[in-house]
């Protein structure tokens, strides 16, 4: 089955700096890669996603890149703010079955 | 519109008791998923419904776990003879269809504590 690895497990950045989280997946059939943000005690919320026919997608301060050949994708947060502090999960989904296989999560702390 | 809802929000039970967790998906969403999140851990897939049938039960950890979905809407996850290692947050998600890969929207979860 699919396996998703996520790094780093924790990330501390100064407010205003950039944060980058990287994920790799094992199943070349995966074709949809969402990123979820989970604040303490809250539900995971989709923040951005990318499909396999696209190499990069941007939404304000958040961007995601996908390298299908290398089977890895990354989340980039620019100009970080304290409210960006949360746990971020990457996931991969195949066309069939549709279950999310999650990475282990990255705890991001933005220091003011 | 209304999002995914789950009940109860918190459940404390004694080891050996049965529990039922409920999920109300977004209206019109045909696909429904259950995930489990242990303390400080990632999210683990349990089971997936398309309509009332469950084509993928591969994530259920043991035969003490079962789930059903009726009327293509509400789903119930049942854990029999609960064990302390069942303590976790149980999250439900729904998405519009499985015809193509779609965004999954999560409920707030049920926090289960087995004493």
């Amino acid at each position: 089955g699919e396996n998703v690895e996520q790094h780093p497990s924790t990330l501390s950045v100064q407010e205003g700096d950039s944060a980058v989280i990287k994920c790799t997946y094992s199943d070349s059939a995966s074709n949809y890669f969402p990123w979820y943000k989970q604040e303490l005690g809250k539900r995971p919320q989709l923040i951005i996603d990318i499909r396999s026919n696209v190499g990069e997608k941007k939404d304000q301060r958040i961007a995601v890149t996908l390298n299908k050949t290398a089977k890895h994708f990354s989340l980039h947060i620019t100009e970080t703010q304290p409210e960006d502090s949360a746990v971020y999960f990457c996931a991969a989904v195949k066309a069939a079955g549709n279950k999310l296989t999650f990475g282990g999560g990255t705890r991001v702390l933005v220091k003011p | 519109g209304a999002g995914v809802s789950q009940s109860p929000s918190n459940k404390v039970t004694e080891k050996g008791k049965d529990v039922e967790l409920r999920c109300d998906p977004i209206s019109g969403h045909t696909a429904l998923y259950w995930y489990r999140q242990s303390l400080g851990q990632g999210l683990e897939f349990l089971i997936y419904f398309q309509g009332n049938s469950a084509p993928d039960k591969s994530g259920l950890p043991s035969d003490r776990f079962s789930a059903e979905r009726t009327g293509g809407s509400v789903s119930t996850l049942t854990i029999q003879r609960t064990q302390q290692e069942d303590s976790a947050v149980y999250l439900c998600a729904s998405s519009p269809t499985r015809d193509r890969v779609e965004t999954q929207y999560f409920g707030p979860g049920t926090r289960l504590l087995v004493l």
Side-chain angles (χ1 to χ4, degrees):
Chain A
E2 175 66 281
N3 182 53
V4 178
E5 299 283 339
Q6 183 172 347
H7 299 281
S9 57
T10 60
L11 180 59
S12 182
V13 296
Q14 206 66 39
E15 182 177 359
D17 288 349
S18 295
V20 180
I21 303 170
K22 299 182 179 181
C23 290
T24 60
Y25 61 99
S26 61
D27 192 334
S28 56
S30 291
N31 66 354
Y32 174 65
F33 307 92
W35 285 87
Y36 286 86
K37 175 184 180 182
Q38 188 176 33
E39 297 176 358
L40 190 62
K42 301 286 184 62
R43 75 186 77 189
Q45 297 271 19
L46 179 76
I47 55 171
I48 196 167
D49 56 14
I50 191 166
R51 296 185 186 269
S52 59
N53 58 346
V54 175
E56 183 174 359
K57 183 176 179 180
K58 189 173 182 180
D59 182 4
Q60 300 183 329
R61 297 186 297 107
I62 294 174
V64 58
T65 58
L66 171 64
N67 183 327
K68 284 177 55 181
T69 302
K71 290 189 282 190
H72 66 70
F73 56 114
S74 300
L75 177 72
H76 303 253
I77 307 173
T78 58
E79 300 171 27
T80 53
Q81 300 169 5
E83 54 263 36
D84 295 330
S85 296
V87 178
Y88 292 80
F89 292 97
C90 63
V93 187
K94 286 196 283 191
N98 213 9
K99 68 180 180 186
L100 290 165
T101 300
F102 286 91
T106 297
R107 186 173 301 275
V108 174
L109 175 63
V110 180
K111 296 178 288 186
Chain B
V4 179
S5 61
Q6 292 184 246
S7 62
S9 54
N10 291 281
K11 176 72 177 178
V12 180
T13 189
E14 293 179 348
K15 177 181 172 180
K17 295 285 181 67
D18 297 352
V19 295
E20 285 190 353
L21 313 179
R22 176 187 168 109
C23 171
D24 274 279
I26 293 172
S27 178
H29 281 193
T30 59
L32 185 149
Y33 310 80
W34 285 96
Y35 296 89
R36 178 169 71 173
Q37 187 171 31
S38 301
L39 184 62
Q41 301 298 311
L43 293 106
E44 172 191 15
F45 168 79
L46 298 178
I47 187 170
Y48 152 65
F49 286 92
Q50 177 62 25
N52 291 337
S53 64
D56 190 348
K57 306 178 183 179
S58 62
L60 294 178
S62 75
D63 58 7
R64 296 186 296 103
F65 287 72
S66 63
E68 65 175 13
R69 189 179 185 195
T70 55
S73 181
V74 172
S75 176
T76 302
L77 177 69
T78 301
I79 309 172
Q80 295 178 307
R81 305 181 302 281
T82 51
Q83 303 293 313
Q84 289 181 333
E85 60 263 28
D86 299 334
S87 297
V89 177
Y90 290 82
L91 290 157
C92 174
S94 71
S95 66
T97 179
R98 72 162 301 210
D99 292 341
R100 72 171 199 140
V101 176
E102 293 281 0
T103 299
Q104 295 184 20
Y105 298 90
F106 282 84
T110 293
R111 189 174 302 274
L112 174 66
L113 177 61
V114 181
L115 301 176

